[in-house]
Amino acid sequence: MLRGKFQRALTALSLAVAASAVPLMTAAEAHATPADCRSYLANRGYRVGPGVVKACNYDQEIVGHPFCVGNLVRLGVNQTHAMRACDLAAWR
């Protein structure tokens, strides 16, 4: 009799753990994209032309963040805005 209660309790516990873990395992991980970089800059009044598009795309590469920031600053983007935009473009 005690063994049956123990088994039922263990089964209930297993189901509770599984039910709480499924949403955590299936939740999509949030990733920023070059589009987030471009949108951030456009919302701050910068013209989003080919140079900005290219700079925002740099951050998709492993060593891209410094290139992204440097190119945006050369295009006239404030350094703080450039760093934030490039952070948004990174897949971290």
Side-chain angles (χ1 to χ4, degrees):
M1 183 154 156
L2 187 59
R3 183 173 183 215
K5 287 183 180 183
F6 178 73
Q7 249 180 335
R8 283 193 297 275
L10 186 58
T11 301
L13 178 62
S14 297
L15 287 173
V17 169
S20 64
V22 169
L24 295 175
M25 293 185 303
T26 60
E29 191 173 325
H31 286 294
T33 67
D36 295 323
C37 173
R38 295 188 303 268
S39 178
Y40 173 83
L41 293 171
N43 289 334
R44 271 139 196 85
Y46 295 102
R47 182 179 168 275
V48 178
V52 169
V53 171
K54 184 177 180 181
C56 286
N57 285 336
Y58 272 127
D59 231 321
Q60 296 300 295
E61 301 168 17
I62 290 178
V63 294
H65 199 272
F67 292 105
C68 178
V69 174
N71 280 302
L72 289 177
V73 169
R74 278 191 285 286
L75 291 168
V77 175
N78 167 294
Q79 185 168 356
T80 302
H81 290 161
M83 291 178 70
R84 177 66 181 138
C86 293
D87 285 343
L88 289 171
W91 287 76
R92 294 187 188 140

